[in-house]
Amino acid sequence: MTDIRLVYDNTKMHCDWVITDGDLDTDADIETAVLLSLFTNARAPDGTKPPNGSTDLGGCWIDGMEGYSMGSLLWTIEGAKKVGNSLLTHARTICEQALQWLIDDGVVGSITVQTTWLNAGALNIGIRLIKPDGADISFRYAWAWKDPARAIPSKNPF
């Protein structure tokens, strides 16, 4: 597995390509696979009502090219009300489903996902992977949460 390396910046809540010696870095294949799996918008099932009110069910340009789809459905719960633990459980399940291909393809032997609220504006996603050789790899991501209750209305100048 060789991929262009992505790293996630928890302070800015986004990922970026890594440049090493003037060229794209191709190290850290596992983290790149995790980032693309979690933070690429998978196509939502028909009948899903996207959180932005549109009819766009998302999806990635790679969908269908190799007979599989890519990404997660995290985008479909963005901004949902944080009542009890059910949303955290749902977010964890979405992450587990998006990462399942890593187990199916033998890249890792097991995956553990934990979700908590980091603060009012971020979902904390902890990922622990155990590779077939027993190596233990962990990642933690702060995913920006669009909370409609905290939105600041724009001022109309007219």
Side-chain angles (χ1 to χ4, degrees):
M1 176 194 294
T2 301
D3 291 316
I4 296 171
R5 183 177 179 199
L6 289 174
V7 293
Y8 193 81
D9 183 334
N10 278 317
T11 60
K12 296 179 181 174
M13 296 185 193
H14 74 87
C15 58
D16 205 350
W17 306 114
V18 175
I19 305 293
T20 304
D21 297 326
D23 201 1
L24 288 171
D25 192 335
T26 56
D27 198 7
D29 302 350
I30 296 280
E31 184 171 21
T32 298
V34 168
L35 287 167
L36 291 174
S37 296
L38 293 178
F39 302 117
T40 298
N41 293 352
R43 179 170 172 78
D46 291 340
T48 300
K49 295 190 185 309
N52 65 4
S54 77
T55 58
D56 182 4
L57 296 179
C60 176
W61 62 269
I62 201 169
D63 290 353
M65 290 183 71
E66 297 292 329
Y68 64 90
S69 62
M70 181 177 185
S72 79
L73 294 173
L74 281 173
W75 71 274
T76 66
I77 62 170
E78 190 172 50
K81 291 185 180 189
K82 301 181 234 176
V83 178
N85 288 326
S86 63
L87 188 56
L88 289 173
T89 301
H90 188 50
R92 185 183 72 236
T93 300
I94 286 171
C95 293
E96 290 168 346
Q97 290 170 345
L99 297 170
Q100 180 61 43
W101 74 270
L102 292 168
I103 294 173
D104 296 345
D105 286 4
V107 177
V108 300
S110 68
I111 298 169
T112 304
V113 177
Q114 291 181 324
T115 52
T116 58
W117 294 115
L118 184 60
N119 57 43
L123 175 67
N124 186 36
I125 303 170
I127 308 292
R128 181 176 181 212
L129 309 170
I130 306 296
K131 293 177 69 174
D133 66 3
D136 188 329
I137 304 167
S138 294
F139 305 106
R140 186 157 302 279
Y141 306 110
W143 184 56
W145 191 259
K146 294 180 182 169
D147 188 344
R150 297 175 50 100
I152 299 170
S154 61
K155 294 182 180 176
N156 186 344
F158 300 108

